């Protein structure tokens, strides 16, 4: 009773503008300072790399926040340019979504911004700059956001595996030329150096026989990565933060498109001293990504084998109502070797060459390049929306919806059932993927390709929920 009363009261306080002003003096739960920093991305015996960072490290500090309770994170901008923070995958209040120039003004150098929000769903999320993200994320402005389950999940180790794809020069510094239009018309800024947790081939030390929850996050600008775990049998227990009702083995490799997450459950062998490599296998020869080092004494003689199913999130209560749904099409066009001849940009038609050379845009949705002034669709709150994404380009796109999770319900016109909830879906060249979601979160929400150069060069639209 008391507890409920207290929660009710704090909810009421948060809604009162007067009292909210008064509580601004209160300490933030977390402070993220964005500033230039150095990081030993290439390992301890190589030169440190100049990066931009939250909290002085790469990745930025892992924020652990409770589910369903208000948190206050203050951003202090000590960069020489504006920035903002987007809480990727959180069904957040619109004003806190962190999209500079859209849901908030860019946070100028020397200024601060108070992010106050409640994360309704437990799981693995991330935060990143949403201001010139193709450069700011590439320079390192991101970190992991963990929304904790109400009761701790029964694992022995809770580890993160944050994969980034950097482009380094010969001196171990970030290569310049961010946001090149030529690259944006292809696969985006692909790197030449892989880090995991801001390190090169880190050793992840775990007890032999332990049960590990590995929170995998791709923070790459553009590369679709794939990880194999020879000698281990990882099982996916959550995707994009949301628990799977039926955990699934990864198969030959875990594919992670930019911004996607997967929580893996890995039961380690019981022999201490073993070292097990994780490989990145998306291109040709496998690359060593990280290694698990098993130390003794073993926690168990025999690894656990029973499945682990994470507690359901409030999200799982939403069932898209397809019979009454609103349907829209999203024709994805443009890029190199594509068929797009011309597109509308800021109300005028341009041929593709002029669009690329003068406007820096090479991609279009439904014939419009860049973020349109009108939304793709306006939805009444609570109604179901389906979007049929038709990839008429020669490139893959990692489509991300802000403020909502969705389910794939059709692939190439064939129904799909029981698909996981996601916030980012990889759409392959030539594919048609229809997603469905319940638009229960009022506000204006970006829907864009998370290959950040693609977004920069035109692959972004938005929906409005009234
Ligand atoms: Cu992870 Cu619009 O972003
Ligand atoms: Cu794309």
């Amino acid at each position: 009773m008391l507890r409920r009363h207290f929660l009710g009261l704090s909810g009421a306080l948060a809604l009162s503008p007067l009292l909210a002003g008064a509580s601004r003096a209160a300490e933030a739960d977390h402070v993220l300072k964005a500033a230039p920093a150095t990081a030993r991305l290439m390992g301890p015996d190589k030169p440190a790399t100049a990066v931009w960072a939250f909290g002085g490290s790469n990745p930025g500090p892992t924020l652990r926040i409770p589910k369903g309770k208000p948190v206050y994170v203050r951003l202090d901008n000590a960069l020489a340019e504006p920035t903002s923070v987007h809480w990727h995958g959180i069904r957040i209040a619109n004003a806190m979504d962190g999209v500079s120039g859209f849901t908030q003004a860019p946070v100028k150098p020397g200024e601060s911004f108070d992010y106050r929000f409640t994360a309704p769903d437990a799981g693995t999320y991330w935060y990143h700059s949403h201001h010139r993200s193709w450069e700011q994320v590439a320079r390192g402005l991101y970190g992991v956001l963990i929304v904790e389950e109400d009761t701790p999940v029964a694992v022995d180790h809770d580890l993160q595996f944050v994969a980034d794809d950097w482009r380094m020069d010969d001196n171990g510094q970030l290569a310049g030329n961010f946001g090149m239009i030529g690259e944006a018309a292809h696969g985006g800024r692909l790197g030449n150096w892989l880090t995991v947790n801001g390190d090169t081939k880190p050793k992840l030390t775990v007890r032999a026989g332990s049960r590990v929850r590995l929170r995998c996050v791709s923070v790459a600008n553009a590369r679709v990565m794939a990880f194999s775990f020879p000698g281990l049998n990882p099982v996916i227990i959550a995707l994009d933060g949301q628990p799977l009702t039926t955990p699934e083995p990864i198969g030959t490799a875990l594919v992670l498109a930019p911004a996607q997450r997967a929580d893996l459950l890995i039961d380690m062998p019981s022999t201490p001293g073993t070292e097990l490599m994780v490989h990145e296998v998306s291109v040709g020869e496998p690359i060593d990504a990280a290694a698990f080092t098993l130390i003794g004494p073993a926690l168990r003689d025999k690894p656990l084998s029973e499945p682990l199913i994470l507690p359901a999130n409030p999200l799982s209560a939403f069932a898209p109502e397809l019979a009454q749904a609103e349907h829209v099409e999203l024709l994805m066009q443009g890029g190199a070797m594509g068929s797009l001849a011309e597109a509308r940009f800021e109300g005028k038609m341009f041929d593709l060459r002029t669009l690329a050379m003068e406007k820096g845009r090479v991609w279009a949705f439904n014939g419009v390049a860049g973020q349109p002034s009108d939304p793709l669709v306006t939805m009444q709150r609570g109604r179901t929306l389906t979007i049929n994404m038709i990839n008429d380009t020669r490139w893959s796109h990692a489509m991300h919806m802000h403020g909502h999770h969705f389910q794939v319900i059709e692939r190439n016109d064939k129904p799909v059932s029981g698909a996981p909830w996601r916030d980012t879906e990889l759409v392959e060249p030539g594919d048609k993927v229809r997603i469905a979601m319940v638009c229960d979160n009022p506000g204006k929400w970006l829907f864009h390709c998370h290959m950040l150069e693609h977004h920069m060069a035109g692959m972004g639209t938005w929906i409005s929920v009234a």
Side-chain angles (χ1 to χ4, degrees), residues 335-372:
M337 299 175 283
S339 58
L340 183 70
E342 52 173 20
R344 188 172 295 281
F345 177 68
E346 292 177 343
K348 291 200 204 75
M349 289 302 285
F350 295 92
D351 64 83
L352 190 59
R353 200 187 146 76
T354 313
L355 195 66
M357 294 306 155
E358 288 173 20
K359 306 295 173 188
R361 302 296 193 283
V362 290
W363 302 97
F365 286 150
N366 298 341
V368 179
Q371 198 168 305

Side-chain angles (χ1 to χ4, degrees), residues 396-397 449 451 454 459:
S396 309
H397 303 291
C449 179
M451 281 136 174
H454 290 181
M459 290 204 108

Side-chain angles (χ1 to χ4, degrees), residues 86 88-89 99 126 128 130 259 400 402 424 446 448 450 452 455:
H86 169 56
H88 183 115
V99 182
W126 65 300
H128 62 82
H130 215 300
H400 171 47
H402 280 223
T424 307
L446 285 195
H448 66 88
H450 219 289
L452 298 172
H455 184 200

